[in-house]
Amino acid sequence: MERVRKLVEPNLAVIQEVKKESLLRKIVIFRDLSPKSLSIIEQRIQTLEVKKGEPIIKEDEPARGVFFVHDGSVKLAKQDENGNEIIVCLKQKGDIFAEACLFTQKTECYPATATMLEDGRLFFLDKQELEQDLYQYPELSMQMIRYMSDGLREMTGQLRDVALLDVYAKTVKTLERLGRKFNTDFKRWEIEIPLTVQEFATVVGTSRESISRVFSKLKKEEMIDLKSRKIIILDWCKFCTLLHKEY
């Protein structure tokens, strides 16, 4: 098996010496695996430390494996021929990305470009080895199916919101979804979403100017604040009350 250093950007540091079992339990599909199954994964997996802003994979690059977020956050984005970017989704601690390359009958490319939004640590599994493990270990296969099913339901909900809601409603709904995703410590105050206003606009699927108008209203209501390329929900309980009132 090739080292991950050869598979991803050369500035990504590969860590081999870390004891991985306790770290793997923090990944959704590995959390409830038997010790036997987990030990197989532990032997195969490699660990990457990635700095904020560094690319992990690039769109249309041949897919060689699947990534798991141990800590930090990742944005997956696509570009058009003019270089305009749209953020497809965000991945947080415990999430998986690039799993769409599994079980294909042809050479598959990564469907999006992945970039670190914060300093963090990723796990990497070779595509062919992971496919073999999914065939051999039904409990691992079921965990992967559950994860992908949950992701499909979430994406369906996002498409519904983009198609049917107005800009204000889409903005609030997206803030709620991302707030839940990034509130890993179950905080009430100052939940940070590591996106700029422009990046958030691409998630919602509207213009920066439209988002800025909604943000101005929410700032006046002391629902959010903007600091250092981050969107901050100031009081989660108060924000949830707003959602309940509006919807």
Side-chain angles (χ1 to χ4, degrees), residues 3 13-26 38-39 41-49 70-71 120-123:
R3 292 171 63 83
V14 179
I15 303 172
Q16 300 288 358
E17 70 277 5
V18 178
K19 177 66 176 176
K20 300 185 180 74
E21 182 176 353
S22 61
L23 302 181
L24 290 175
R25 290 292 183 191
K26 298 180 181 180
L38 195 66
S39 67
I41 298 297
E42 186 180 0
Q43 293 171 23
R44 300 188 190 279
I45 207 160
Q46 298 186 55
T47 308
L48 311 172
E49 281 191 345
H70 175 260
D71 52 55
R121 184 183 300 175
L122 306 175
F123 295 135

Side-chain angles (χ1 to χ4, degrees), residues 9-215:
E9 294 296 320
N11 55 347
L12 302 184
V14 179
I15 303 172
Q16 300 288 358
E17 70 277 5
V18 178
K19 177 66 176 176
K20 300 185 180 74
E21 182 176 353
S22 61
L23 302 181
L24 290 175
R25 290 292 183 191
K26 298 180 181 180
I27 304 299
V28 173
I29 72 164
F30 302 145
R31 188 173 297 155
D32 299 320
L33 289 184
S34 67
K36 179 181 177 181
S37 296
L38 195 66
S39 67
I40 300 297
I41 298 297
E42 186 180 0
Q43 293 171 23
R44 300 188 190 279
I45 207 160
Q46 298 186 55
T47 308
L48 311 172
E49 281 191 345
V50 193
K51 297 296 184 181
K52 177 181 177 181
E54 289 184 354
I56 305 158
I57 55 175
K58 295 182 179 179
E59 187 176 355
D60 298 329
E61 172 189 344
R64 297 183 176 90
V66 178
F67 295 82
F68 308 84
V69 184
H70 175 260
D71 52 55
S73 55
V74 178
K75 73 171 181 180
L76 273 72
K78 294 183 72 67
Q79 288 189 342
D80 63 17
E81 60 275 8
N82 298 317
N84 299 312
E85 180 184 87
I86 179 171
I87 296 178
V88 179
C89 60
L90 300 176
K91 297 296 182 177
Q92 181 58 289
K93 177 164 51 178
D95 285 339
I96 307 165
F97 63 96
E99 72 275 15
C101 72
L102 294 171
F103 299 111
T104 55
Q105 298 298 319
K106 59 181 181 179
T107 301
E108 188 68 33
C109 292
Y110 289 120
T113 296
T115 307
M116 290 299 291
L117 289 172
E118 304 169 304
D119 292 354
R121 184 183 300 175
L122 306 175
F123 295 135
F124 173 86
L125 273 175
D126 178 83
K127 175 181 181 292
Q128 292 183 344
E129 291 185 344
L130 179 55
E131 288 177 353
Q132 292 172 8
D133 291 338
L134 289 170
Y135 278 123
Q136 294 178 18
Y137 300 98
E139 59 175 342
L140 179 60
S141 299
M142 289 303 300
Q143 293 282 49
M144 178 65 83
I145 291 169
R146 290 190 187 102
Y147 180 86
M148 295 177 76
S149 177
D150 289 343
L152 182 59
R153 280 197 295 271
E154 181 179 351
M155 183 171 291
T156 301
Q158 293 176 40
L159 290 173
R160 176 203 60 205
D161 292 346
V162 167
L164 299 179
L165 299 180
D166 60 30
V167 174
Y168 180 84
K170 285 190 288 190
T171 300
V172 174
K173 286 282 192 179
T174 303
L175 282 172
E176 176 197 21
R177 175 171 55 83
L178 295 179
R180 293 186 188 280
K181 191 174 189 67
F182 285 94
N183 189 14
T184 55
D185 298 325
F186 302 101
K187 297 188 296 184
R188 174 175 174 179
W189 290 283
E190 298 204 351
I191 299 168
E192 296 184 351
I193 301 170
L195 293 176
T196 65
V197 176
Q198 178 61 55
E199 288 172 331
F200 184 87
T202 71
V203 175
V204 176
T206 189
S207 68
R208 186 185 190 282
E209 292 73 19
S210 297
I211 294 297
S212 294
R213 287 193 288 270
V214 178
F215 277 4

